[in-house]
Amino acid sequence: YVPRFLLKKFSSDSKNINLIVLRKGIVARGPLSHQCYEDYLHGKDEHLEKAFAELEGKASQIFKKIELGATLATEEEFDLVLFINYQL
C-alpha cells in the first residue's frame, strides 16, 4: 500500500501514473485510484482505518511543508516518524 498523496508526486496530471505491467513487459498508464490500494487493508475496524487516514492527512501536510522548506514543529516531526514507521 502507498498513500495516494505520495503516488501523486509521480503523476503529471495528479490522476494517472505510469505503470510497469510485468506479465506483459510493457509500460502503461493507469489511474492512481486503482494502484497500490486494497479495501480494508488494515481489517474492517473503522477506528483503525480512521486513525491511519488521520495520520496520512497529517503526513501529507508535513510533506508539503518540507517541500516549501518550512521548519517542522516537534509534534510534526513525531507524526512524520510515526508515519514512516507505519510504512515500513
Side-chain angles (χ1 to χ4, degrees):
Y1 170 77
V2 178
R4 193 170 295 156
F5 79 88
L6 288 176
L7 283 177
K8 283 183 179 182
K9 304 287 183 202
F10 299 92
S11 173
S12 60
D13 63 3
S14 296
K15 295 178 183 176
N16 297 289
I17 193 167
N18 288 333
L19 310 163
I20 298 173
V21 183
L22 295 175
R23 284 184 240 149
K24 296 182 180 182
I26 62 170
V27 176
R29 196 135 174 87
L32 280 172
S33 60
H34 293 81
Q35 311 311 318
C36 304
Y37 169 81
E38 182 179 331
D39 284 330
Y40 306 111
L41 178 66
H42 306 291
K44 293 191 177 186
D45 181 349
E46 288 183 31
H47 298 291
L48 186 57
E49 288 292 326
K50 286 181 182 178
F52 277 116
E54 182 180 328
L55 182 58
E56 288 173 11
K58 288 180 181 180
S60 176
Q61 296 304 311
I62 291 168
F63 274 84
K64 287 178 185 176
K65 283 184 76 171
I66 291 170
E67 289 172 3
L68 296 172
T71 302
L72 300 180
T74 302
E75 183 178 338
E76 291 171 319
E77 291 174 349
F78 176 81
D79 287 338
L80 180 59
V81 169
L82 188 62
F83 172 77
I84 291 169
N85 280 314
Y86 282 126
Q87 292 302 305
L88 301 175

